[in-house]
Amino acid sequence: MNKKQFTLYSKKVLEHFQNPRNYGKMKNPDGVGKVGNIVCGDVMYLYVKIGKKKNGKEYIKDIKFQTYGCLAAIASSSILTEMVKEKTIEEAIKINRSQIVKRLGGLPPIKMHCSILATDALFEAIYDYLSKNKKPIPKFLKERHKQIEKEKKEIEKRYKEWIKLEEKLSKNEKEK
Amino acid sequence: MPKQIYLDYAATTPIDEEVLEAMMPYLKKDFGNPSSLHHFGQITRVAIDQTRKKAARFLNCSESEIVFCGSATEANSLAIFGVVKALQKKIKKPFHIITTKIEHHAVLHPFEELEKQGVEVSFVAPNKIGIVETKEIKKAIKDNTVFISVMYANNEIGTVQPIEEIGKLISQINKNRKQKIYFHTDAVQAVNYLDCDVQKLKVDLLTLSAHKIYGPKGVGALFIKKGTPIEPIIYGGGHEFGLRSGTENVAGIVGLGKAIELVEKHKGDTERIKNLRDKIIEEVLKIPNAKLNGSRENRLPNNVNVSISGVEGESLVIALDQEGIAVSTGSACSSHELKPSHVLLAIGLSPKSTHGSLRITLGRFTTEDEIDYFLKVLPKVVKRLREISPF
Ligand SMILES: Cc1ncc(COP(=O)(O)O)c(C=O)c1O
Ligand code: FES
């Protein structure tokens, strides 16, 4: 009997989880994207270094990620770094989650949101680079940035609710 | 072939060979319907009654106080909805019921449903080490409290609740009451290791499950003390004293009987399992920023639950699975609703700590070699995941 066939995840996901590409912190990155998962509360950091191609176009010279999350989140970030490395910024921001999911050989339905974490972290890292260097920011990136900021607040709210619950509990404790 | 190490006995246990053997005839030649008058039926009727006898001996109650159900979930629902329904008919005034914040969903959700239907419910919080203290139950009891359900041992953190003490408290209170308080305990996780004498515990209802004690899945039982008001929640042919209609799962019930018998036979194994558990606790806590969840002393001999910072539980479970080790987690990422474990939140863990929680549960077939292998692999896996993590 083949054990692999009974896991929730595809071979490719497991492979990226076992041997993630481009992970770790980057020294002196040109842009950093930090995002949290609205659904489960996990976190991903993405770092980019930007270079210039001979034709003058800016491209992703180096990329690294750090992920605290489930397998799908780790595999998504790993494969994303592979997919956009060496790509021009213009090309990189065209990436979407269905490309990631496809490259990963599929994700369980409940884990689809984890792949958004990866694309969002990339968009935020590029946004960070462009805004820090006072460069024009494509409309799509601006809108996505706004959306991500909004979601961040929601995550904080959710954490606050959990924390409130805990505080209530520990207050009960003290009253005893 | 990589090793296959099962350390998730709280989720379910493998079926014992002797249990399977006892069941086989009832899956083959002895297929009769226990309600039939002919000898095909009578053979299976006798088989069910033998299990009833075994269960009654184990719980120190009479045979007519045992009802077989399709699962412990169903037994819990019968206990909660069944008693509340009977009391609603009898009392006709609003009343109050109590449970705890650390119950299995099979108790928690019925109480939440009753709350939605307008019944007043108190959910009592545990202390920081996962024990629901008797004095907290006492504080929650009101003049119109009529039903209390507290689990015997928690399925996530293995903490053992003071059921006997709570039972005593309630029977003391009942002495001065016209309307008695009925006391239920979900003993699903306790049966293997703790005393389930219902006289001693002073419970009116007790739930158990076959698949946590090396029996088959899909069989549970409910002890209902004689005189306890209860209505069925499933209607039909009137099986199981009218409380659980539906043709009996004969082979499953026979399996439960054998499994109960074996629990008594294996009581001596508890010390060995406890020693293995202590070895795990000691070694796992050597991992930097690892913390034990739940009381160190008042916990099941087979349960370890730790939070390891910087790693997410589902990733950890799958990474260990890739090494052939099966464990479980209370991480949000692993649950259907992507919510962290309500038990870990209730004992005051931050959502982050619930994320890195790992439950290791041992059992009858766990060996020291398996534990040594697990303890060798775990730190490596944690280190690898921490390298990927930003924290
Ligand atoms: C404490 C507790 N109660 C109830 C159940 C449900 O048992 P069953 O699977 O037989 O419905 C479980 C099993 O997970 C449990 O651990
Ligand atoms: S990151 Fe939590 S579910 Fe995927």
Side-chain angles (χ1 to χ4, degrees), chain A residues 20-107:
Chain A
R21 331 285 199 259
N22 306 309
Y23 69 88
K25 204 174 159 128
M26 185 189 281
K27 270 190 206 144
N28 307 317
D30 293 325
V32 184
K34 294 186 178 183
V35 293
N37 193 327
I38 180 101
V39 182
C40 66
D42 290 338
V43 178
M44 188 181 298
Y45 293 0
L46 205 102
Y47 310 90
V48 290
K49 256 202 180 41
I50 305 295
K52 224 177 205 147
K53 291 219 163 156
K54 284 205 185 89
N55 63 9
K57 283 197 171 163
E58 288 188 308
Y59 77 108
I60 298 178
K61 208 166 114 194
D62 198 10
I63 182 163
K64 275 196 150 58
F65 79 90
Q66 290 181 301
T67 295
Y68 176 84
C70 73
L71 225 90
I74 291 173
S76 297
S77 23
S78 170
I79 207 157
L80 170 118
T81 62
E82 255 189 4
M83 287 164 78
V84 301
K85 202 167 173 175
E86 304 289 331
K87 290 262 161 65
T88 63
I89 288 184
E90 219 173 294
E91 288 164 336
I93 62 172
K94 286 199 192 118
I95 195 165
N96 62 41
R97 82 159 209 231
S98 41
Q99 290 166 323
I100 291 183
V101 174
K102 206 162 146 207
R103 277 280 286 268
L104 284 174
L107 283 176

Side-chain angles (χ1 to χ4, degrees), chain B residues 10-11 70-74 76 104 106 151 153-155 186 188-189 207 209-212 218-220:
Chain B
S71 63
T73 300
E74 194 195 305
N76 282 336
H104 189 273
M151 72 194 324
N154 183 267
N155 48 299
D186 175 347
V188 166
Q189 295 289 341
T207 298
S209 181
H211 77 97
K212 312 279 185 181
V219 191

